[in-house]
Amino acid sequence: MKKRILSVLLTFSLVLMAGSTGTVNAKQPAEDNVITGGKPWIDSDFKENISADLKTDPKDDLHLYANKDWILKSDIPDGYTNWSHYLERELDVKQQCIGLLKDESLKSHDAELIQTYNSLVLDWDARNEIGVSELQDMYDQISAIKSIDDITKFMTDKKTADVAYDFLSYSVSVGYNDPEKYLVSVSSTPLLLSDSAEYTKRTELGDLYYGYKKDLFVCMAEKMGMSSRDAEECFDTAIGLETELAKKILTTEEKLKDDYVEKTNNEMSFKEMVSLTKEFPLEDIFTGMNIKYDGIYIVEEPDYLKWLDKIYTDENVEAMKDLILVQYLLKYPTRIDKETFDKRNEIYNKYVGTSGTVSDEEMAYIEVVSLLQIPMQKVYVEKYGSAEDKKKMEDLCKEVIDTYRELLSENDWASDETKEYAIEKLDKITIYAAYPEKFRDTANLDIEGCSLIEAGRRIEKWNNDYMKSLIGTNKDHEMWFEGCNILECNAYYDSQSNSISMFLGMMGEPFFSKDMSTEELYASIAAFWCGHEISHAFDNYGAQFDAYGQYRDWWTAEDKKEFQRRVSKMSGYLDNIVAFGDYHLNGTNVVSEMAADMTGLQCALRMAKKVDGFDYDKFFTKYAQMNVNMAVYGGEVAQILQGEHPLYYSRTNVPVQQFEEFYETYDVKEGDAMYLAPEDRLVIW
């Protein structure tokens, strides 16, 4: 995972996607969707494309060759939109956490917090009795809005400012120009259809978001006493207003382009920021939320604020009121009664194409970790953290960094000046392995005697208060994981701290264990994990930051031009790959992640050359197995249209195509589907 957001991104506004834990998906029945086809490879993320009699050959499709048996014997579990080794590993961790949630021998305050909230989630009798009664007060306040002054009062009142939808998003993060100090970043509102491009040219995915969220809102509104007809009109009015707002909101593709930081790195004083609006009560909102301070703000989309000011008029009051109401009710479907929870799952399955739902125990854990991430992590680390494994991971990462130094030193297209600075940046990368030694103190958080909704609100206030306390302070590097869940099967490179973080959640089979062979460790940690993440320091995004995490151009003009030519060539190659049906990969969106895959593999292959008797078949097979995945139709569509990671099978086949070791191992020749002519190969570094 490349972390494009800042290392600490702590949102004030509550913009949960209707309690969804998966990807919104296909509206039409799965049998009507076109999943076959693809060029040069079949999309083996779809199990429907794979049969027992299908012949496989690494010369034509390494990914399918290595993963056919797993695909045939595996199924996507109830409640999941896809299934992979990532999720298998995460499920192992979930089961351990569920055990901790039941363990009465645990006596710490953190254990008390997670076990109390877990019990609240699982107490259906109490949830059914309360129903939506705790949503009524805010619902009535929103319903009573009649004028622009009413909206202003709702958004700026100190009692509601922290939780009111106010057409903006806020985060506390370090700045691009000063990666050591926390400031407030202001951006546009999250949209119901996710991508602003969906409001000008609706895609299949936009239709699916629309259908899912509309049905879910109608369900919630009816619970509050609204008629289905009025609820449908309310939702469509909200979409109409978002259509106007979206005109000045960056699209997903624009957010993934190289110039994203340049576009959004707009530092302003408070006075300069609030001067962008005359009618919209920006200053009063910040005062009500207690985030007005003397210092720098980053305003990511100044034109959006100016546009919002034009829309903030009496003639749009009803539309604004409807959007506020939609956003409010879509926060709670998984946190009220059983009837609503089951209806939400029914609607979700209808659009996603999944079946069933996860167990109540797993559902409760998901709710616990979504709000009580810190105490859950502390309890887990105390039980399962291993200093020995942590040290082994650190040592492996150091070995990968040493190999990168060789790779950069021997680069044949960059100038000595660029290479020297790249190596300096490499040498200053900080390795964060497994878990931190320091966690946020939770002693002042108390949810004893609360209902589920009230407990959630207390936790959210506790998080918001902590975020606000960071503003203007220096970053604490010991708390490198804040804003991340180290229990996920994941890793990331952070440009603004020049660090790689290898989460505890990925440190288990099939990715990491003391019994793995050298070939398996190199395929997993050296190529797929650590090698991949380090490469983000030098990709088309990470290369915009220096060794100290500051946004600064350290390239010579000629080297940058050559680098961009190579990235453009790779992007063009990816654009030509047909995934399935009429869908191609989107090179602009995924080129950074694919470049990281390639460079990580390049590093691992360099390490392999130093090992006598290295088994390349075992290595490439393990590498392919890291990427195995099965998905429902809409999940694949979402990945194609809005994802920054390539489809899983392409993350195997495209990288290995670039290296002679693969051709030699499997005797790949011109005419084979895996063959790529030497002059067309795409290695960046």
Side-chain angles (χ1 to χ4, degrees), residues 193-425:
L193 304 185
S194 184
D195 185 354
S196 61
E198 294 288 352
Y199 295 82
T200 53
K201 185 178 180 181
R202 184 80 64 83
T203 69
E204 179 180 13
L205 186 61
D207 287 339
L208 305 177
Y209 273 112
Y210 171 82
Y212 167 70
K213 292 193 175 181
K214 184 173 185 178
D215 285 2
L216 192 57
F217 173 73
V218 170
C219 170
M220 289 294 295
E222 287 179 330
K223 296 286 289 189
M224 304 304 299
M226 190 183 294
S227 72
S228 60
R229 180 177 178 179
D230 287 346
E232 289 177 2
E233 289 180 357
C234 178
F235 187 86
D236 285 336
T237 302
I239 289 290
L241 180 62
E242 284 199 335
T243 301
E244 289 301 307
L245 294 173
K247 291 178 180 178
K248 300 297 182 180
I249 297 176
L250 293 173
T251 66
T252 296
E253 187 166 308
E254 287 172 330
K255 291 175 182 177
L256 292 172
K257 287 185 176 179
D258 298 350
D259 62 355
Y260 172 73
V261 177
E262 182 181 354
K263 280 184 177 179
T264 59
N265 186 28
N266 304 302
E267 292 191 349
M268 298 184 184
S269 67
F270 186 77
K271 183 177 180 180
E272 289 170 331
M273 178 178 66
V274 298
S275 72
L276 297 174
T277 64
K278 292 181 174 59
E279 303 300 327
F280 186 75
L282 190 59
E283 180 170 3
D284 291 337
I285 289 172
F286 275 62
T287 301
M289 293 177 65
N290 195 29
I291 55 173
K292 179 181 178 181
Y293 64 97
D294 292 327
I296 294 172
Y297 292 78
I298 292 183
V299 182
E300 295 185 8
E301 296 157 290
D303 288 344
Y304 173 77
L305 284 179
K306 296 174 185 176
W307 184 240
L308 178 59
D309 200 52
K310 294 181 184 297
I311 290 172
Y312 197 72
T313 63
D314 284 312
E315 65 181 1
N316 289 322
V317 166
E318 284 302 312
M320 287 188 284
K321 170 184 170 180
D322 286 347
L323 181 53
I324 291 169
L325 189 60
V326 169
Q327 293 283 7
Y328 172 64
L329 289 184
L330 284 181
K331 290 176 357 185
Y332 291 105
T334 64
R335 296 184 187 176
I336 49 176
D337 55 77
K338 186 70 161 64
E339 180 184 51
T340 306
F341 181 82
D342 289 343
K343 184 63 176 178
R344 178 264 175 192
N345 290 333
E346 177 187 324
I347 295 168
Y348 184 73
N349 288 343
K350 169 187 172 183
Y351 286 96
V352 175
T354 53
S355 59
T357 186
V358 298
S359 68
D360 277 5
E361 285 185 336
E362 187 173 347
M363 174 274 296
Y365 165 73
I366 292 168
E367 290 290 332
V368 168
V369 80
S370 70
L371 284 184
L372 291 170
Q373 197 175 93
I374 302 300
M376 186 74 250
Q377 291 176 146
K378 290 167 75 173
V379 172
Y380 185 89
V381 168
E382 185 175 349
K383 176 73 173 181
Y384 295 108
S386 166
E388 180 182 353
D389 286 349
K390 182 180 173 80
K391 177 67 165 54
K392 184 174 182 179
M393 178 61 76
E394 289 172 348
D395 290 342
L396 277 167
C397 290
K398 289 175 182 177
E399 185 179 354
V400 173
I401 287 174
D402 288 342
T403 306
Y404 259 91
R405 192 178 297 107
E406 297 173 12
L407 188 154
L408 293 171
S409 298
E410 297 175 17
N411 175 278
D412 62 2
W413 59 263
S415 67
D416 289 342
E417 180 182 347
T418 296
K419 288 194 291 186
E420 285 172 8
Y421 195 84
I423 291 170
E424 179 182 342
K425 182 176 183 180

Side-chain angles (χ1 to χ4, degrees), residues 435-446:
Y435 52 87
E437 302 299 332
K438 180 180 179 181
F439 288 88
R440 193 199 314 177
D441 187 9
T442 59
N444 63 341
L445 176 59
D446 178 20

Side-chain angles (χ1 to χ4, degrees), residues 57-284:
D57 190 326
K59 296 179 182 181
D60 293 320
D61 189 332
L62 176 67
H63 186 82
L64 182 57
Y65 168 78
N67 293 308
K68 176 185 169 183
D69 290 345
W70 183 91
I71 294 169
L72 288 175
K73 73 178 183 181
S74 302
D75 291 300
I76 300 174
D78 283 350
Y80 284 79
T81 57
N82 69 307
W83 193 238
S84 64
H85 286 319
Y86 290 101
L87 293 174
E88 287 179 333
R89 171 59 189 155
E90 285 195 357
L91 186 58
D92 289 341
V93 174
K94 283 181 186 177
Q95 294 302 328
Q96 291 174 317
C97 289
I98 289 169
L100 295 173
L101 292 171
K102 297 177 182 178
D103 189 346
E104 295 180 359
S105 70
L106 302 175
K107 301 300 181 184
S108 68
H109 179 60
D110 293 299
E112 179 184 338
L113 285 170
I114 60 175
Q115 290 179 353
T116 298
Y117 193 75
N118 184 66
S119 296
L120 291 172
V121 176
L122 291 173
D123 190 349
W124 287 115
D125 289 340
R127 291 174 63 171
N128 290 337
E129 184 178 349
I130 294 169
V132 297
S133 60
E134 293 182 312
L135 308 185
Q136 193 69 50
D137 182 60
M138 184 75 80
Y139 177 83
D140 290 343
Q141 288 186 58
I142 298 170
S143 298
I145 289 173
K146 302 294 183 186
S147 67
I148 201 76
D149 289 340
D150 290 340
I151 293 179
T152 296
K153 184 177 185 303
F154 175 73
M155 295 191 303
T156 60
D157 192 311
K158 289 184 180 293
K159 296 178 182 178
T160 56
D162 260 351
V163 295
Y165 174 81
D166 54 21
F167 309 96
L168 295 169
S169 290
Y170 316 89
S171 64
V172 174
S173 55
V174 294
Y176 291 117
N177 300 325
D178 182 0
E180 292 299 319
K181 183 158 289 189
Y182 289 112
L183 45 68
V184 172
S185 181
V186 184
S187 57
S188 56
T189 180
L191 297 167
L192 293 166
L193 304 185
S194 184
D195 185 354
S196 61
E198 294 288 352
Y199 295 82
T200 53
K201 185 178 180 181
R202 184 80 64 83
T203 69
E204 179 180 13
L205 186 61
D207 287 339
L208 305 177
Y209 273 112
Y210 171 82
Y212 167 70
K213 292 193 175 181
K214 184 173 185 178
D215 285 2
L216 192 57
F217 173 73
V218 170
C219 170
M220 289 294 295
E222 287 179 330
K223 296 286 289 189
M224 304 304 299
M226 190 183 294
S227 72
S228 60
R229 180 177 178 179
D230 287 346
E232 289 177 2
E233 289 180 357
C234 178
F235 187 86
D236 285 336
T237 302
I239 289 290
L241 180 62
E242 284 199 335
T243 301
E244 289 301 307
L245 294 173
K247 291 178 180 178
K248 300 297 182 180
I249 297 176
L250 293 173
T251 66
T252 296
E253 187 166 308
E254 287 172 330
K255 291 175 182 177
L256 292 172
K257 287 185 176 179
D258 298 350
D259 62 355
Y260 172 73
V261 177
E262 182 181 354
K263 280 184 177 179
T264 59
N265 186 28
N266 304 302
E267 292 191 349
M268 298 184 184
S269 67
F270 186 77
K271 183 177 180 180
E272 289 170 331
M273 178 178 66
V274 298
S275 72
L276 297 174
T277 64
K278 292 181 174 59
E279 303 300 327
F280 186 75
L282 190 59
E283 180 170 3
D284 291 337

Side-chain angles (χ1 to χ4, degrees), residues 1-9 173-174 176 251-262 264 300 492-496 533 536 539-545 567 587-593 644-645:
M1 177 186 88
K2 176 178 72 201
K3 195 171 174 84
R4 277 222 168 187
I5 59 175
L6 303 171
S7 60
V8 176
L9 186 62
S173 55
V174 294
Y176 291 117
T251 66
T252 296
E253 187 166 308
E254 287 172 330
K255 291 175 182 177
L256 292 172
K257 287 185 176 179
D258 298 350
D259 62 355
Y260 172 73
V261 177
E262 182 181 354
T264 59
E300 295 185 8
Y492 76 91
Y493 171 77
D494 180 15
S495 300
Q496 291 181 274
E533 298 307 333
H536 282 312
D539 69 10
N540 51 312
Y541 178 81
Q544 299 178 63
F545 296 83
V567 170
T588 299
N589 285 8
V590 305
V591 67
S592 290
E593 291 298 328
E644 63 180 297
H645 289 83

